[in-house]
């Protein structure tokens, strides 16, 4: 996986604290350069871009960033404008808001803006995403699936993500929306991938060497499918309850990390 991670990511499970201690967003500000940072906020995921852009601008200004630009890329024509691509390349941090992850990939995928984003990422620019902006980070993303339900086969809708983090599937609002069943289904379908479920007000900081550390007030659940001995995910009866055996599961709060190459838990402090 080492070659599958080319840069720095901060992946937030949604509902991050914006007005209190703001631990996660403060960490983001520190990483991208503090008061000298140049932050680009992309509101493509949401259908309320003005409201989302205004809120995050106010939050990041309170945390000390002076150079903030909000860009609403709402069509593929917008995403193919050279001027918009250049604006992304000049940022030290790029932030994806929440909303609908399929809007991000369907509007940005394969455009000049996408190439500029990949270039910035490969050059070390921190890419940050919350909620839908978290799901879209991986090469394969969950688009839809049952929450707060037993794991059932064929109830999962998946699609290609932005591919900033390969061989991983991200789910967000994880514990709060009871999404362990759908993440188990996604790993059963793709056992070579790691399933990473990120709780609200919790994030993982992913480093270029393919390890991450947990930040925030809740936990990150890691599901490793390489140890699976059997599952019924490929059988008939699409609404059948999922059977899966010998899956490996880790629950990691702040102070822990995970080596995604060796698939090992790390105790950081």
């Amino acid at each position: 996986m080492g070659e599958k991670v080319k840069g720095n990511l901060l992946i937030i499970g949604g509902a991050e604290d914006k007005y209190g201690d703001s631990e996660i967003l403060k960490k983001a500000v520190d990483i991208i350069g503090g008061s000298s940072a140049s932050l680009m906020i992309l509101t493509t995921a949401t259908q309320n871009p003005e409201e989302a852009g205004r809120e995050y601008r106010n939050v990041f200004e309170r945390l000390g960033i002076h150079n903030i630009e909000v860009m609403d890329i709402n069509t593929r024509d917008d995403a193919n404008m050279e001027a918009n691509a250049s604006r992304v390349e000049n940022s030290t941090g790029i932030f994806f808001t929440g909303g609908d992850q399929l809007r991000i990939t369907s509007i940005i995928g394969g455009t000049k803006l996408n190439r500029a984003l990949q270039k910035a990422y490969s050059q070390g620019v921190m890419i940050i995403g919350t909620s839908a902006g978290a799901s879209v980070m991986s090469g394969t993303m969950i688009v839809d699936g049952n929450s707060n339900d037993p794991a059932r086969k064929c109830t999962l809708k998946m699609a290609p993500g932005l591919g900033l983090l390969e061989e991983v599937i991200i789910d967000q609002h994880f514990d709060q929306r009871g999404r362990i069943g759908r993440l188990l289904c996604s790993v059963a379908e793709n056992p070579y991938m790691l399933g990473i479920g990120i709780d609200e007000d919790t994030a993982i900081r992913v480093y270029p060497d393919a390890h991450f550390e947990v930040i925030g007030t809740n936990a990150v659940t890691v599901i490793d499918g390489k140890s699976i001995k059997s599952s019924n995910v490929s059988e008939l009866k699409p609404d059948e309850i999922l059977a899966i055996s010998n899956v490996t599961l880790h629950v990691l709060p702040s102070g822990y990390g995970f080596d995604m190459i060796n698939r090992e838990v790390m105790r950081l402090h």
Side-chain angles (χ1 to χ4, degrees), residues 210-223:
H211 87 275
F212 69 75
E213 62 180 24
V214 179
I215 304 165
T217 58
N218 290 304
V220 171
T221 300
V222 179
I223 299 176

Side-chain angles (χ1 to χ4, degrees), residues 12 14-19 25 39 41-43 46 49-63 65 68 70 95-98 128-131:
I12 308 169
E16 69 280 359
D17 177 11
K18 301 179 185 68
Y19 306 107
L25 297 181
L39 178 65
I41 298 173
L42 288 171
T43 58
T46 178
E50 290 185 11
E51 179 183 339
R54 182 168 56 249
E55 179 178 38
Y56 277 108
R57 180 190 289 277
N58 291 340
V59 167
F60 282 113
E61 283 179 346
R62 179 179 68 84
L63 296 176
I65 298 181
I68 300 171
V70 178
F95 182 90
F96 284 93
T97 69
I128 309 158
T130 185
S131 191

Side-chain angles (χ1 to χ4, degrees), residues 96-159:
F96 284 93
T97 69
D100 176 0
Q101 51 265 43
L102 202 53
R103 277 182 57 82
I104 298 174
T105 54
S106 63
I107 291 172
I108 293 178
T111 64
K112 291 180 181 178
L113 184 72
N114 187 58
R115 289 193 290 274
L117 178 72
Q118 296 282 350
K119 180 180 178 183
Y121 173 57
S122 68
Q123 293 176 343
V125 172
M126 170 67 76
I127 313 294
I128 309 158
T130 185
S131 191
S135 289
V136 82
M137 297 284 193
S138 54
T140 302
M141 66 180 183
I142 296 174
V143 174
D144 194 21
N146 295 342
S147 299
N148 289 311
D149 273 345
R152 290 183 183 274
K153 303 187 300 180
C154 304
T155 57
L156 202 61
K157 182 179 178 183
M158 303 183 75

Side-chain angles (χ1 to χ4, degrees), residues 172-237:
Q172 20 80 8
H173 299 281
F174 189 67
D175 182 64
Q176 290 74 19
R177 298 188 184 177
R179 288 179 165 172
I180 190 167
R182 73 183 204 176
L183 192 58
L184 279 167
C185 280
S186 74
V187 173
E189 292 178 7
N190 304 275
Y192 67 97
M193 292 189 182
L194 284 170
I196 301 178
I198 307 175
D199 291 352
E200 293 179 355
D201 195 38
T202 307
I204 59 171
R205 181 186 176 184
V206 181
Y207 291 83
D209 67 355
H211 87 275
F212 69 75
E213 62 180 24
V214 179
I215 304 165
T217 58
N218 290 304
V220 171
T221 300
V222 179
I223 299 176
D224 184 351
K226 281 196 172 180
S227 60
I228 292 173
K229 287 190 174 179
S230 66
S231 80
N232 66 351
V233 74
S234 64
E235 297 175 11
L236 299 176
K237 301 179 182 176

Side-chain angles (χ1 to χ4, degrees), residues 1-7 9 121 163-168 208 210:
M1 175 180 263
E3 74 281 4
K4 303 294 188 183
V5 187
K6 301 185 182 72
L9 301 170
Y121 173 57
L164 304 179
L165 181 59
E166 295 286 1
E167 297 181 18
V168 163

